[in-house]
Amino acid sequence: MNPATAFASTVVDELVRCGLAEAVIAPGSRSAPLAMALWQRAAGGPALRLHVRIDERSAGFLALGLAKASQRPVAVVCTSGTAAAHLHAAVIEADEAGVPLLVLTADRPPELRGTGANQTIDQLKLYGGAVRWFCEAGVPEARPGMNAYWRSLACRAWAAASGQAGGSPGPVHLNAALREPLVPGTPDPAVPGQEWPEPLAGRPGTAPWTGYAAIAGAAPRQTGMALELPWTERGVVVCGDGCGDPAALAVLAEEAGWPLLAEPSSGARSGPNALAAYQYLLDSPEFAAAHRPDVIVSAGRPGLSRGQLAYLKSPSPAGSAPRHVVIDQGPGRWADPARTATDVAAAVCLVGMGRRPDPGWLASWRAADGAARAAAAAVLDADDAISEPRLARDLAAALPDGALLWAASSLPIRDLDRQMAPRAGIRVLASRGASGIDGLVSSAIGAALAHQRAGGGPAAALLGDLAFLHDAPGLFLAAAEPRPDLAIVVVNNDGGGIFSTLEQAAYREPFERVFGTPHGAALGSLAAAAGVPATVLAGPGDLPAALRGQGIRVVEVRTGRVGGAALRERIRAACTSAIAAHGRPG
């Protein structure tokens, strides 16, 4: 056995012992030992599933989707050189969103670096501070002690990525400098007799080399330590993407009698206190002024609207800043985009709820929310035309319990936030860590694969046309690759629709070329080139039938950017008028 093969097979075995169930590779020569070890392990049983993508960026975002849906580390492997650079965007999203990734990059050995050797760049700490841990694994050598080193290295990488070693989950980068020979069965002249100097077995049974008995960063949660808050009627719970424990936050809102303002991908948008139209309420200066809170409890990464951020900055009824408690996402990590946090805690508990006055606060929020929802529905249902806000509302309602919905980071998630009715039973995910347009087709496929492997139901993705085109390579899967049950619903408004809702739209002369970017692409032809069936939605009533099918399929929904911006403004105006009719809280 040559050293590169020994290293790869040992590390892969140890990662599987730690719990690795999904791995993604992009083809390459220098990474051959890792690729072949993963292939061999996946061929030996169902514990590990292997995915192959021809493009490193698609591979990275597929791994991100798998990890985000499964909430466990996923390995992504690539060769040396610029291949590793193509994973950077996925690493950044994983860092910001706290998604556990194991990034294994093959590299040239030290003697080839800085010499102009083919496909050689500086890969040391390539991703900077975006990873929880970086390790230059060193050149594998045939000498005693390597087995313990490689296995403990794999365990530490797993613990750092999953958060078991303390801190929050996120990406880890292992850089492996591999000398030839790179394939099994090829003799290595540096290993006399080709006998390995020590056994390469792991711990007895399937136990990992190093165990982590407790999550250091979760000690306050495990021991019940929580920040005590005096009860007040005028409190609000705000949940953004990745809020950690959505069920506990929903219970907090119910026990306190506070409104729950939950973004779709927070996982908390259900229960009697969750409001569907809260963004319209916060857009109304009069409503926001009359509903200034004493306490805000926020979790995750809120930030889907300017009104929401302005509300986090709003003064309390007494004229001072309200107490703003941010639930952390792990030691040293919390989201405070408005910079108004007064406390950061692992959890909160309320005291003194026995003296509750009449709950007029919550009743006022609910009445205004109901009025806004009715006003929005009246505008959307005034005719039978297809629109992006109506599509978001109807898609979230049409999916069955147990379904997964992946939303693009721009207009789709915002339309869902304003139109999706609170409901349990579906899971909404989005790349809201860095909120990029990158890799959304691949991420949706990965999330659907992980969701369905765990016994979940069908999946859908709601993407814009630019996001779809940006990751078109994600559609091109080899025949042997597993395919999820995934309907990719693509809003085709021939360009960047979100810019039509922003100030840039007022500058008509440069707008179309530098912001609108009309492309005229035939999305159905692109899907056909990848062997993916595609259909065009004729009307809103055809959506349930269009979602049915098997494998990956594309549902194109054609809309207009100018008309979409005007419709959203009509909805906003109608909601503002309806909210004004309900006055101040009781």
Side-chain angles (χ1 to χ4, degrees):
M1 181 182 295
N2 61 59
T5 297
F7 165 81
S9 59
T10 303
V11 167
V12 167
D13 176 67
E14 193 61 38
L15 288 175
V16 172
R17 288 166 176 260
C18 289
L20 183 70
E22 309 272 10
V24 184
I25 64 172
S29 176
R30 189 61 52 169
S31 56
L34 288 163
M36 296 188 75
L38 287 166
W39 174 84
Q40 186 175 35
R41 189 58 183 253
L48 178 67
R49 184 167 61 169
L50 182 63
H51 310 266
V52 182
R53 295 295 184 270
I54 60 174
D55 166 59
E56 285 81 11
R57 192 182 69 167
S58 295
F61 280 102
L62 174 70
L64 185 136
L66 286 162
K68 184 151 191 167
S70 65
Q71 297 182 331
R72 63 194 302 177
V74 171
V76 56
V77 175
C78 75
T79 192
S80 63
T82 57
H86 285 295
L87 297 177
H88 202 160
V91 169
I92 290 173
E93 173 63 30
D95 172 36
E96 295 293 338
V99 177
L101 279 188
L102 294 165
V103 181
L104 282 65
T105 57
D107 200 355
R108 260 48 178 178
E111 65 269 19
L112 294 181
R113 298 173 185 173
T115 65
N118 182 48
Q119 215 169 319
T120 305
I121 66 170
D122 184 0
Q123 296 179 202
L124 301 186
K125 297 191 175 181
L126 179 63
Y127 309 118
V131 294
R132 301 293 182 269
W133 184 57
F134 165 78
C135 181
E136 165 75 343
V139 179
E141 297 178 280
R143 60 182 178 85
M146 289 291 97
N147 184 51
Y149 167 52
W150 293 335
R151 289 187 181 277
S152 63
L153 178 73
C155 289
R156 182 174 177 184
W158 180 271
S162 63
Q164 291 179 1
S168 60
V172 163
H173 179 200
L174 295 184
N175 193 58
L178 303 175
R179 286 195 182 106
E180 296 180 352
L182 301 171
V183 294
T186 305
D188 183 353
V191 185
Q194 301 303 303
E195 294 181 1
W196 203 259
E198 65 176 351
L200 291 176
R203 302 286 189 200
T206 59
W209 195 263
T210 306
Y212 292 83
I215 301 175
R221 298 171 177 82
Q222 292 175 340
T223 59
M225 294 172 58
L227 178 67
E228 291 188 347
L229 288 176
W231 183 84
T232 174
E233 183 181 10
R234 303 179 72 97
V236 171
V237 178
V238 177
C239 294
D241 183 81
C243 73
D245 192 347
L249 291 159
V251 169
L252 171 67
E254 288 186 47
E255 290 180 345
W258 295 347
L260 175 60
L261 316 183
E263 295 180 4
S265 60
S266 69
R269 200 183 181 102
S270 62
N273 290 40
L275 307 183
Y278 74 92
Q279 291 285 13
Y280 293 113
L281 274 56
L282 301 184
D283 282 346
S284 167
E286 294 77 15
F287 183 89
H291 292 76
R292 290 170 177 164
D294 293 320
V295 174
I296 297 174
V297 176
S298 71
R301 299 170 61 90
L304 280 180
S305 77
R306 296 174 182 177
Q308 183 187 54
L309 294 177
Y311 189 73
L312 292 174
K313 297 179 181 178
S314 64
S316 69
S320 60
R323 189 170 187 181
H324 179 190
V325 181
V326 175
I327 306 299
D328 67 39
Q329 298 169 289
R333 292 181 67 85
W334 63 87
D336 180 25
R339 293 191 177 275
T340 56
T342 58
D343 306 87
V344 176
V348 299
C349 66
L350 298 175
V351 295
M353 286 194 295
R355 300 187 301 273
R356 292 180 61 177
D358 183 66
W361 171 255
L362 179 60
S364 179
W365 281 87
R366 282 175 167 164
D369 180 70
R373 289 182 63 182
V379 176
L380 290 177
D381 297 333
D383 54 42
D384 201 33
I386 298 175
S387 69
E388 294 166 34
R390 180 170 180 173
L391 174 67
R393 182 196 67 180
D394 293 354
L395 176 60
L399 293 172
D401 285 348
L404 175 127
L405 175 58
W406 185 280
S409 308
S410 190
L411 270 181
I413 190 64
R414 288 173 169 83
D415 281 335
L416 281 170
D417 193 31
R418 290 178 179 269
Q419 308 303 333
M420 175 183 169
R423 62 165 294 192
I426 69 167
R427 186 180 183 191
V428 181
L429 296 178
S431 284
R432 289 294 299 172
S435 303
I437 198 174
D438 319 63
L440 295 177
V441 171
S442 299
S443 296
I445 291 173
L449 284 166
H451 176 72
Q452 288 158 15
R453 189 182 195 190
L462 181 59
L463 308 181
D465 49 345
L466 293 188
F468 181 74
L469 293 172
H470 204 273
D471 192 27
L475 289 175
F476 290 80
L477 278 62
E481 296 307 304
R483 287 163 168 77
D485 175 3
L486 173 65
I488 302 177
V489 181
V490 183
V491 175
N492 185 3
N493 54 33
D494 196 28
I498 194 167
F499 298 114
S500 297
T501 68
L502 302 177
E503 294 86 348
Q504 292 94 320
Y507 296 85
R508 295 187 178 182
E509 186 173 352
F511 180 80
E512 277 298 284
R513 185 175 182 190
V514 301
F515 296 109
T517 59
H519 48 76
L523 304 188
S525 297
L526 175 60
V532 173
T535 185
V536 176
L537 191 68
D542 299 322
L543 179 62
L547 293 175
R548 290 194 290 270
Q550 295 181 339
I552 302 172
R553 61 268 188 205
V554 171
V555 179
E556 182 181 354
V557 183
R558 295 173 181 169
T559 63
R561 285 184 277 118
V562 175
L567 174 64
R568 291 183 179 89
E569 179 56 30
R570 289 202 306 275
I571 298 172
R572 188 200 63 78
C575 290
T576 299
S577 297
I579 293 165
H582 285 266
R584 295 179 176 271

